[in-house]
């Protein structure tokens, strides 16, 4: 906390914080207000006498209704949920096991393997989708949810592995040694001791993986084509921007509704993932 | 309960030879303490007994079984770690029951054993708490409880008291000793604290640089250190050393340097004979020094300059310099001396030690 006179606190703490918050939250506010603003106000020229960009006196649910009635938004939501959940589960299982192995089992080249896995995470998706689309086509998975469930782990597993590796390294080695002396096999020690202790880390890896796949755009754009298979980010953009016409109301409504599940997931686990990121294990 | 035999054991890491041929026979029901500075290989030795480190060379037996290739779970041992290693997500009860559950004991037997151990250790009221709700001393008790419920053949302790504050450490030390007297289980205890080693051990093993320096009962180590290292390591304040040269003087031997010229006690004259003309180290414990009062022969005294006088109440520790060497003398609390004062110290000739200047091995009478 800033010491000294009240004006110092305002100048060095409250005002910068407020500016930062405004900068950060304004896009969300804009999304919210546009969702509920009637079309008449949305397309009103800025020179008009009754131009009120930051507020509306006639809130409406028309855009949301449009979204559900005229587009397949509900299907997109379901698709996104299914794909994100499935790919998160796959990535978490692989990431936890790989992270444990890299952190705990002393095998040759463990260090360079860990670095290698991290490097695969750095390969941009904008490059990777080219060979992947070839693979998806060969396995005839194009335009199915599996095209994404199986390709999202290509960036989620390195991410989860790396995060879990760091977390497992922070868990005292003695816990596991003690369990082994107590009569647990390595597998049991991992299952009963190490994984329960690492739950905060697993939760934060899960939340991040879920968010990454929820928001993913490029693979979904490339691998899915029919409207009933699309995910929210792709569906909203491809169905609500027609040519050079932007349907701003439904677009923003879609963005708003699309971000709610992620926000819920975050707020639900917020305590866990903070402690997961700071890696605190108390004995 | 069982014996533990460590025979010619080595541990090599890629570029580090941590344990260089340690052999030790631990008797049934014995409490053996491995003591030494950090990096001396004591913990590595213990971990090899536990099965947490592979044995590069040599054999370890628990009872009559060679355990080199046995996983920790099959060695029937229990280990207490420095950081307690309590399972943070389990209650105290579950922590203590875990080993029994893994070994498929039935529920009633688990309950009986856990409550018996909790009784012994005085943690009965905390059984449903989580480890983080306990104080350091209580956590240590839970760790002990987890070890004793299994009734293993051997207890292994890896610096179990190092994380406790000084007062609690003394208290837990006594409790550990009592516990061992009550259960009589063979115990191997690792510590860097020589006071813990002396008070707990039936026998103490002093290690340095991956080698055993001396094995013996605490007083044997104290009274008859095998070499200069053990002499300096055991005892607090530490033994004083002065580099001297042995010379013939009439019928006897003298040890002298620039600041002292003392007669070699009679019982050491014969073994020190071959050392005439060679360097040696004179060693004397602080409590075997006192202020000279004229009643002792002059050749058992030497002159020193007081640097600091530390009043401890029951005694005064005089930090003195004697030529090139600084020494500590524990003297009567009634003595009044000032820093800078020249005094004459008398040593107890029966408790003087001499060490070979090169090998640093004790020269014994």
């Amino acid at each position: 906390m800033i010491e000294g006179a009240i004006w110092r606190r305002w100048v060095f703490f409250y005002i910068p914080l407020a500016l930062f918050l405004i900068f950060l939250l304004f896009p969300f506010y804009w999304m919210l207000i546009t969702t509920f603003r009637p079309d008449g106000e949305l397309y009103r020229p800025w020179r008009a006498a009754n131009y009120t960009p930051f507020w509306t006196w006639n809130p409406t649910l028309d855009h949301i209704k449009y979204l559900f009635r005229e587009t397949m938004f509900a299907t997109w939501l379901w698709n996104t949920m299914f794909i994100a959940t499935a790919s998160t589960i796959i990535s978490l299982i692989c990431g936890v096991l790989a992270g444990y192995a890299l952190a705990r089992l002393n095998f040759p080249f463990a260090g360079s393997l860990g670095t290698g896995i991290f490097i695969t995470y750095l390969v941009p998706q904008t490059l990777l989708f080219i060979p992947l689309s070839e693979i998806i086509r060969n396995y005839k998975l194009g335009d199915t949810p599996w095209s994404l469930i199986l390709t999202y782990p290509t960036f989620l597993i390195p991410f989860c592995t790396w995060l879990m590796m760091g977390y497992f390294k922070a868990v005292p080695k003695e816990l596991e040694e003690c369990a082994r002396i107590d009569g647990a096999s390595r597998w049991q020690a991992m299952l009963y001791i190490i994984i329960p202790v690492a739950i905060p880390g697993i939760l934060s890896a899960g939340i991040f993986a879920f968010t990454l796949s929820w928001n993913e755009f490029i693979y979904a754009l490339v691998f899915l084509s029919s409207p009933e298979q699309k995910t929210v980010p792709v569906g909203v953009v491809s169905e609500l921007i027609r040519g050079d016409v932007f349907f701003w109301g439904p677009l923003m409504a879609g963005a708003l509704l699309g971000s709610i599940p992620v926000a819920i997931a975050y707020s639900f686990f917020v305590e866990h993932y903070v402690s997961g990121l700071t890696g605190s294990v108390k004995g | 309960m069982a014996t533990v035999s460590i025979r010619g054991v080595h541990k090599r890491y890629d570029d580090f030879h941590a344990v260089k041929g340690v052999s030790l026979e631990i008797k049934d029901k014995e409490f053996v303490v491995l003591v030494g500075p950090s990096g001396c290989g004591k913990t590595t030795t213990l971990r090899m007994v536990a099965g947490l480190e592979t044995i590069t060379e040599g054999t370890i037996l628990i009872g009559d079984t060679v355990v080199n290739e046995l996983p920790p779970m099959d060695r029937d041992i229990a280990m207490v770690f420095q950081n307690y290693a309590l399972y943070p997500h389990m209650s105290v009860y579950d922590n203590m029951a875990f080993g029994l559950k893994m070994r498929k004991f039935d529920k009633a037997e688990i309950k009986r054993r856990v409550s018996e151990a909790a009784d012994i250790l005085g943690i009965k009221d905390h059984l449903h708490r989580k480890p983080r709700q306990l104080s350091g001393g209580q956590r240590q008790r839970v760790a002990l409880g987890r070890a004793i419920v299994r009734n293993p053949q051997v207890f292994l302790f890896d610096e179990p008291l190092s994380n406790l504050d000084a007062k609690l450490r003394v208290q837990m030390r006594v409790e550990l000793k009592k516990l061992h007297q009550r259960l009589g289980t063979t115990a191997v205890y690792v510590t860097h604290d020589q006071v813990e080693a002396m008070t707990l051990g039936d026998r103490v093993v002093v290690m340095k640089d991956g080698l055993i320096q001396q094995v013996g009962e605490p007083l044997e180590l104290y009274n008859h250190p095998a070499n200069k290292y053990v002499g300096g390591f055991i005892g607090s304040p530490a033994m004083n050393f002065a580099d001297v040269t042995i010379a013939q003087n009439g019928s006897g031997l003298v040890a002298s340097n620039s600041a002292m010229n003392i007669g070699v006690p009679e019982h050491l004259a014969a073994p020190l004979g071959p050392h005439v003309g060679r360097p040696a180290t004179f060693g004397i414990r602080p409590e075997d020094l006192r202020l000279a009062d004229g009643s002792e022969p002059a050749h058992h005294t030497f002159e020193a300059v007081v640097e600091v006088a530390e009043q401890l109440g029951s005694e005064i520790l005089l930090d003195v310099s004697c030529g090139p060497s600084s020494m500590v003398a524990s003297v009567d609390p009634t003595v009044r001396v000032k820093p800078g004062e020249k005094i004459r110290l008398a040593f107890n000739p029966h408790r003087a030690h001499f060490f070979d200047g090169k090998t640093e091995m004790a020269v014994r009478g």
Side-chain angles (χ1 to χ4, degrees):
Chain A
M1 197 61 218
I2 308 275
E3 308 265 321
I6 289 178
W7 70 266
R8 282 177 61 91
R9 258 190 238 174
W10 277 96
V11 169
F12 293 112
F13 186 72
Y14 292 118
I15 293 174
L17 187 69
L19 288 176
F20 184 69
L21 275 179
I22 290 168
F23 184 73
L24 210 64
L25 292 178
F26 182 76
F28 293 93
Y29 175 72
W30 194 249
M31 186 167 81
L32 190 76
I33 205 75
T34 310
T35 302
F36 295 108
R37 190 191 292 278
D39 270 332
E41 278 185 35
L42 268 176
Y43 298 106
R44 189 175 286 163
W46 63 273
R47 282 197 198 83
N50 54 355
Y51 182 61
T52 51
F54 299 110
W55 194 245
T56 176
W57 295 108
N58 309 300
T60 171
L61 293 174
D62 283 351
H63 301 313
I64 295 175
K65 285 182 194 150
Y66 178 87
L67 204 57
F68 282 97
R69 284 184 193 151
E70 306 297 322
T71 73
M72 306 185 75
F73 189 74
T75 317
W76 299 339
L77 262 184
W78 162 250
N79 288 345
T80 317
M81 184 70 83
F82 173 64
I83 291 167
T85 310
S87 50
T88 299
I89 290 173
I90 293 174
S91 310
L92 266 188
I93 292 173
C94 297
V96 165
L97 294 178
Y100 176 85
L102 288 171
R104 276 289 195 268
L105 308 182
N106 289 320
F107 56 91
F109 307 115
S112 33
L113 192 61
T115 316
I117 287 175
F118 187 62
I119 287 173
T120 63
Y121 182 61
L122 300 179
V123 177
Q125 293 173 34
T126 40
L127 273 181
L128 213 54
F129 83 89
I130 301 168
L132 278 176
S133 63
E134 184 76 13
I135 296 172
I136 293 298
R137 203 184 52 211
N138 288 346
Y139 284 90
K140 300 198 169 39
L141 292 171
D143 208 23
T144 66
W146 295 102
S147 64
L148 298 186
I149 291 173
L150 295 177
T151 47
Y152 285 177
T154 56
F155 59 90
L156 293 182
I157 290 178
F159 172 79
C160 292
T161 303
W162 200 253
L163 203 138
M164 288 319 298
M165 192 169 89
Y167 201 84
F168 283 133
K169 276 187 178 160
V171 174
K173 211 169 67 198
E174 286 86 351
L175 281 184
E176 192 177 358
E177 291 176 347
C178 197
R180 305 252 286 135
I181 289 176
D182 265 351
S185 63
R186 195 180 263 284
W187 188 250
Q188 285 172 317
M190 187 180 89
L191 220 55
Y192 295 135
I193 306 297
I194 302 302
I195 287 184
V197 168
I199 286 288
I202 295 173
L203 277 181
S204 41
I207 287 173
F208 277 103
F210 184 80
T211 315
L212 283 176
S213 33
W214 184 274
N215 294 335
E216 206 284 331
F217 188 76
I218 290 177
Y219 290 176
L221 183 70
V222 174
F223 300 150
L224 303 177
S225 45
S226 47
E228 69 273 10
Q229 295 291 353
K230 284 180 177 167
T231 60
V232 171
V234 174
V236 166
V237 168
S238 62
E239 306 290 319
L240 293 172
I241 303 174
R242 294 176 198 150
D244 57 353
V245 183
F246 288 68
F247 288 78
W248 280 118
L251 261 176
M252 287 301 173
L256 180 73
L257 295 181
S259 46
I260 284 175
V262 178
I264 291 174
Y266 265 82
S267 60
F268 197 65
F269 296 116
V270 66
E271 277 176 33
H272 285 296
Y273 87 70
V274 169
S275 73
L277 287 181
T278 51
S280 55
V281 176
K282 282 166 192 148
Chain B
M1 270 157 258
T3 58
V4 177
S5 308
I6 302 170
R7 294 180 186 159
V9 163
H10 287 261
K11 176 70 191 181
R12 281 187 202 90
Y13 296 100
D14 294 337
D15 47 358
F16 181 55
H17 199 170
V19 177
K20 304 171 184 166
V22 162
S23 294
L24 184 65
E25 297 291 325
I26 298 167
K27 296 194 266 294
D28 188 24
K29 299 186 181 180
E30 196 176 24
F31 198 118
V32 166
V33 180
L34 305 182
V35 66
S38 61
C40 72
K42 57 191 191 300
T43 297
T44 310
T45 306
L46 189 79
R47 289 171 59 85
M48 285 192 282
V49 176
L52 298 173
E53 299 278 352
T54 54
I55 300 162
T56 314
E57 195 184 320
T59 321
I60 294 180
L61 292 91
I62 296 177
D64 303 322
T65 322
V66 176
V67 296
N68 284 34
E69 302 298 328
L70 278 186
M73 58 188 291
D74 296 329
R75 297 194 180 193
D76 200 8
I77 48 163
M79 186 154 169
V80 177
F81 293 85
Q82 177 174 1
N83 63 2
Y84 323 128
L86 299 180
Y87 311 132
H89 58 296
M90 293 185 188
S91 68
V92 168
Y93 181 92
D94 288 332
N95 260 283
M96 289 166 73
F98 183 76
L100 300 173
K101 280 183 191 158
M102 284 290 110
R103 281 157 214 274
K104 310 245 179 319
F105 279 77
D106 70 67
K107 274 209 167 125
E109 175 68 6
I110 293 178
K111 194 163 183 185
R112 191 187 66 74
R113 288 209 191 184
V114 170
S115 56
E116 191 184 305
D119 251 352
I120 296 174
L121 295 162
I123 48 175
K124 206 152 195 177
D125 300 336
H126 308 309
L127 281 178
H128 296 291
R129 292 202 189 170
K130 289 276 171 68
R132 64 172 173 275
Q133 297 168 297
L134 303 178
S135 68
Q138 287 165 338
R139 288 182 199 186
Q140 189 58 71
R141 273 171 229 262
V142 177
L144 281 174
R146 196 168 54 178
I148 65 178
V149 286
R150 292 217 338 261
N151 195 16
Q153 295 202 61
V154 183
F155 282 139
L156 305 174
F157 297 98
D158 185 10
E159 310 223 11
L161 305 183
S162 301
N163 280 11
L164 300 175
D165 63 59
K167 199 174 166 187
L168 204 53
R169 199 179 309 162
V170 174
Q171 192 188 331
M172 284 303 287
R173 200 167 73 200
V174 176
E175 288 194 31
L176 263 179
K177 188 84 184 165
K178 278 190 199 158
L179 193 66
H180 179 251
Q181 283 163 358
R182 175 170 178 166
L183 302 172
T185 310
T186 312
V188 187
Y189 187 106
V190 161
T191 179
H192 62 268
D193 179 351
Q194 54 95 14
V195 178
E196 251 170 53
M198 295 285 282
T199 49
L200 283 171
D202 294 327
R203 276 195 304 158
V204 176
V205 180
V206 181
M207 291 185 70
K208 185 193 164 201
D209 297 335
L211 288 168
I212 290 182
Q213 303 291 310
Q214 188 174 5
V215 184
E217 289 170 18
L219 282 183
E220 188 187 333
L221 297 189
Y222 187 80
N223 293 330
H224 305 290
N227 57 32
K228 186 178 163 189
Y229 180 77
V230 176
F233 190 79
I234 301 289
S236 172
M239 184 184 277
N240 301 304
F241 295 110
D243 292 328
V244 294
T245 310
I246 308 292
Q248 193 80 36
N249 179 21
S251 60
L253 297 180
V254 289
S256 55
N257 62 17
S258 58
M260 61 166 65
N261 187 13
I262 54 176
V264 171
E266 272 167 31
H267 68 285
L268 290 174
L272 269 173
H275 291 257
V276 168
R278 297 224 311 258
T281 305
F282 166 63
I284 188 80
R285 294 199 180 276
E287 58 272 31
D288 298 326
L289 287 174
R290 60 185 172 80
L291 236 45
D293 55 12
S295 64
E296 59 284 296
H299 63 277
H300 288 158
T301 66
F302 56 89
E303 207 162 64
V305 179
V306 178
E307 287 185 335
V308 179
E310 300 174 80
Q311 309 269 1
L312 298 186
S314 61
E315 60 185 337
I316 296 176
L317 293 182
L318 294 180
D319 288 74
V320 302
S321 65
C322 172
S325 38
S326 34
M327 294 193 168
V328 178
S330 162
V331 299
D332 202 82
T334 57
V335 166
R336 289 287 168 267
V337 288
K338 284 197 260 326
E341 197 176 325
K342 253 190 190 166
I343 54 170
R344 230 180 151 69
L345 290 171
F347 65 88
N348 180 347
H350 304 290
R351 300 188 58 85
H353 303 269
F354 283 91
F355 304 97
D356 187 292
K358 235 188 220 134
T359 65
E360 301 196 338
M361 296 304 287
V363 178
R364 288 198 176 153

